[in-house]
Amino acid sequence: MKCIAHRGWSSYAPENTMAAFYKALEHDWIFGIELDVHLSKDGIPVVIHDHTLERTTNGEGEVRDFTFSELSQLDAGSWCRESFSGERIPSLEQALAAMKDSGKKVTIELKQVGSRYIGMEEAVVEVVDRLDMMSQVIFASFDHTSVKRIEQLAPHANRGLIIGQLPNLILEQLHYVAADYVMIEHHFADAALIKHLQENGIHVGVWTIDDELIVNRGRTMYEDVYITTNNPRILKDHILKSTTI
């Protein structure tokens, strides 16, 4: 099993903040880090999950209505714990720069919906390319058109399709967007499906598993599978039994 820290180590620190990313970077047995990207008003890729600010910051409104300078002034930590007061919304460049040469895969989920963010794919690819991290990154989205656009911009990039429902015609979907990774909501990922995908050369991930019982029941099924979790602690014993957190 390959542990992917969901929005960083988000059970420890506020999601999608540098504190959460640094915590995940501390441990060699964490295989990768996942983060979410929107586009600011001035076209800068920023790391935050929701389209709106209210849940994870002290701001109000939609991310796309604010410049990065404005977004970076918001408190993105106090909602989690007061000790994280002052954590900021990072830019994608800031987050990736911290992960560069860490040996960890970085999954960038593009929070594209139709044409909500004009130029998002170009902006994200530009940042990754400029940092020379193309081989370290997996570009992923629920939005088929967004993944297809990444294929056009960066043909050699790793691309993934995120599936949040019963995955009908899944190989056909992956072929259409030219993706070799798929991330499936764990309720829909059974052993037969995982085996079928892996036999067809697809890298499989499941999300989001925060229950150790689920991990134990699926131990054989999840061989060579990327397990996305908010709490990497629950996977630690399955990956490196001698590690102490």
Side-chain angles (χ1 to χ4, degrees):
M1 288 183 286
K2 298 175 180 177
C3 178
I4 309 296
H6 188 228
R7 309 175 196 173
W9 195 315
S10 54
S11 67
Y12 167 81
E15 63 181 59
N16 280 323
T17 63
M18 298 307 299
F21 299 143
Y22 285 134
K23 178 65 175 177
L25 287 168
E26 290 176 5
H27 303 282
D28 291 341
W29 51 269
I30 293 179
F31 183 81
I33 297 172
E34 185 267 356
L35 55 80
D36 305 283
V37 171
H38 293 261
L39 210 58
S40 68
K41 185 178 181 179
D42 50 343
I44 295 176
V46 294
V47 181
I48 185 172
H49 179 269
D50 297 359
H51 292 285
T52 56
L53 298 166
E54 286 82 357
R55 184 177 66 85
T56 59
T57 79
N58 62 340
E60 296 182 356
E62 296 199 11
V63 174
R64 63 179 178 177
D65 291 334
F66 297 87
T67 66
F68 175 62
S69 177
E70 292 168 333
L71 292 169
S72 65
Q73 300 305 309
L74 298 176
D75 184 337
S78 294
W79 68 272
C80 177
R81 282 201 301 277
E82 194 60 36
S83 59
F84 289 110
S85 175
E87 282 293 320
R88 305 301 180 189
I89 297 174
S91 68
L92 176 63
E93 183 169 359
Q94 289 170 335
L96 290 182
M99 301 172 195
K100 184 176 171 64
D101 300 325
S102 66
K104 299 190 188 303
K105 280 289 186 184
V106 182
T107 300
I108 301 174
E109 181 180 341
L110 288 85
K111 306 299 286 188
Q112 183 70 282
V113 180
S115 58
R116 183 182 186 90
Y117 293 116
I118 303 298
M120 166 183 268
E121 292 78 16
E122 288 84 351
V124 171
V125 167
E126 190 278 328
V127 171
V128 174
D129 194 41
R130 178 156 41 82
L131 291 174
D132 193 24
M133 293 180 67
M134 200 63 71
S135 63
Q136 190 177 343
V137 162
I138 303 167
F139 300 89
S141 184
F142 284 95
D143 189 289
H144 289 59
T145 303
S146 186
V147 180
K148 188 68 174 175
R149 181 61 179 148
I150 294 293
E151 189 261 341
Q152 295 166 349
L153 293 166
H156 301 297
N158 301 306
R159 294 175 298 277
L161 191 61
I162 308 174
I163 304 289
Q165 57 190 357
L166 189 63
N168 296 319
L169 300 174
I170 190 166
L171 284 176
E172 289 81 356
Q173 293 185 58
L174 291 166
H175 177 73
Y176 170 73
V177 300
D180 50 4
Y181 288 79
V182 65
M183 297 78 170
I184 308 170
E185 205 280 331
H186 75 86
H187 291 102
F188 301 112
D190 59 32
L193 176 60
I194 290 173
K195 181 180 179 182
H196 176 60
L197 290 166
Q198 290 177 332
E199 288 176 345
N200 280 275
I202 303 298
H203 302 282
V204 181
V206 296
W207 55 273
T208 300
I209 297 179
D210 291 332
D211 186 334
E212 192 167 0
L213 291 176
I214 295 174
V215 177
N216 289 332
R217 287 198 299 266
R219 187 167 186 171
T220 301
M221 180 172 74
Y222 292 146
E223 282 186 17
D224 203 30
V225 170
Y226 299 81
I227 307 294
T228 299
T229 179
N230 294 307
N231 184 10
R233 188 188 304 272
I234 68 165
L235 294 181
K236 185 258 294 183
D237 289 337
H238 299 279
I239 296 169
L240 192 61
K241 292 182 181 296
S242 62
T243 296
T244 301
I245 299 177

